[in-house]
Amino acid sequence: MMTTNISNPIVAYSKALINIFPDFNSEEINFITSKITVTKLDTKKLYLMAGKVQENLVFVFKGLLRVFYINEKGEEITIAFAKENSHATDYSAFINQAPSKYHIETLESSLLVNVPFSLIQKCYSKYKNFEKYGRLIAEKYLEKRQHRIESFLFENAEQRYLNFISKNKDILNRISLTHLSSFLGITRQTLTRIRKKLTQL
């Protein structure tokens, strides 16, 4: 894992912060961006290994990551993908600085912005806007997790696939059918049948 200071990813991270929370001022943005770093990772490299504490919130400037765990059968089960301008994290473990149950792996060569947990805590203490931002991020995380739970409760495999491609057209051709099928909770053969059926409509 090579860590370096690169200006463009940090500028992108600044814009992402403001897009989510427009009330940030320049002092607040400068405080956090002056203390973050950028990591370059090749394809198929682990950013985080299960059992380890994730010390940095990771923002994807360039590349694609997946979050997965290994079940009792030794199968890799993907639970999330993280594309450009999004975060890859085991959020609940991160905020508690507890060992993660998940691996985070690059699917492409990636440039990643590292935001230390300690820095985030300093931002919360120093600036009220960061406290508000933190609550907003927590709400978004809970909403996303609830949506995933309900997708398995109330949608069939085809509906889950259609919903995925409607929201992720930009990465559909960047991920393998194996990773996508595990994310959807189906076998690769089932996914192939669904895709074939849809092309015939």
Side-chain angles (χ1 to χ4, degrees), residues 54-108:
Q54 184 177 357
E55 297 178 353
N56 297 289
L57 183 65
V58 57
F59 172 81
V60 184
F61 170 68
K62 178 184 177 183
L64 183 65
L65 285 72
R66 73 177 180 121
V67 182
F68 70 98
Y69 69 95
I70 300 175
N71 67 13
E72 66 279 359
K73 298 178 181 178
E75 300 166 330
E76 295 183 359
I77 308 299
T78 301
I79 66 159
F81 298 99
K83 56 188 176 181
E84 288 87 357
N85 294 311
S86 67
H87 293 89
T89 185
D90 175 5
Y91 185 76
S92 58
F94 175 74
I95 61 174
N96 290 299
Q97 285 294 275
S100 176
K101 296 180 176 66
Y102 304 102
H103 301 278
I104 300 178
E105 176 190 55
T106 58
L107 297 180
E108 300 172 353

Side-chain angles (χ1 to χ4, degrees), residues 33 35 58 61 71 89 102 114 143 148 157 160 188:
T33 57
K35 297 173 176 62
V58 57
F61 170 68
N71 67 13
T89 185
Y102 304 102
N114 310 294
E143 181 182 3
R148 179 160 172 79
R160 291 199 298 275
R188 180 167 173 161

Side-chain angles (χ1 to χ4, degrees), residues 9-191:
I10 293 177
V11 170
Y13 179 67
S14 302
K15 292 179 178 178
L17 287 173
I18 294 171
N19 284 339
I20 295 172
F21 193 80
D23 290 345
F24 278 132
N25 59 44
S26 58
E27 178 186 341
E28 292 161 337
I29 294 296
N30 289 337
F31 181 82
I32 191 168
T33 57
S34 66
K35 297 173 176 62
I36 58 180
T37 58
V38 175
T39 295
K40 182 178 181 180
L41 283 181
D42 293 330
T43 306
K44 300 289 287 183
K45 298 295 184 182
L46 286 178
Y47 182 88
L48 178 69
M49 181 180 292
K52 302 292 185 182
V53 174
Q54 184 177 357
E55 297 178 353
N56 297 289
L57 183 65
V58 57
F59 172 81
V60 184
F61 170 68
K62 178 184 177 183
L64 183 65
L65 285 72
R66 73 177 180 121
V67 182
F68 70 98
Y69 69 95
I70 300 175
N71 67 13
E72 66 279 359
K73 298 178 181 178
E75 300 166 330
E76 295 183 359
I77 308 299
T78 301
I79 66 159
F81 298 99
K83 56 188 176 181
E84 288 87 357
N85 294 311
S86 67
H87 293 89
T89 185
D90 175 5
Y91 185 76
S92 58
F94 175 74
I95 61 174
N96 290 299
Q97 285 294 275
S100 176
K101 296 180 176 66
Y102 304 102
H103 301 278
I104 300 178
E105 176 190 55
T106 58
L107 297 180
E108 300 172 353
S109 177
S110 302
L111 278 176
L112 311 170
V113 176
N114 310 294
V115 188
F117 175 81
S118 58
L119 174 59
I120 293 173
Q121 297 306 306
K122 288 179 182 177
C123 289
Y124 288 164
S125 298
K126 190 175 177 67
Y127 299 109
K128 289 290 185 183
N129 272 343
F130 272 105
E131 287 186 347
K132 297 176 183 177
Y133 172 78
R135 287 197 299 271
L136 180 61
I137 292 299
E139 290 168 2
K140 287 181 178 292
Y141 169 78
L142 290 172
E143 181 182 3
K144 189 174 182 178
R145 186 172 68 173
Q146 184 70 17
H147 175 76
R148 179 160 172 79
I149 292 170
E150 291 183 353
S151 72
F152 281 96
L153 292 174
F154 304 117
E155 298 170 356
N156 60 34
E158 183 175 318
Q159 289 171 322
R160 291 199 298 275
Y161 174 70
L162 289 171
N163 286 339
F164 179 86
I165 62 176
S166 70
K167 297 174 182 176
N168 299 280
K169 291 178 181 177
D170 54 336
I171 66 169
L172 189 60
N173 294 324
R174 298 164 61 187
I175 58 179
S176 71
L177 292 182
T178 298
H179 292 158
L180 179 55
S181 61
S182 74
F183 175 80
L184 297 173
I186 58 178
T187 65
R188 180 167 173 161
Q189 290 77 10
T190 299
L191 177 57

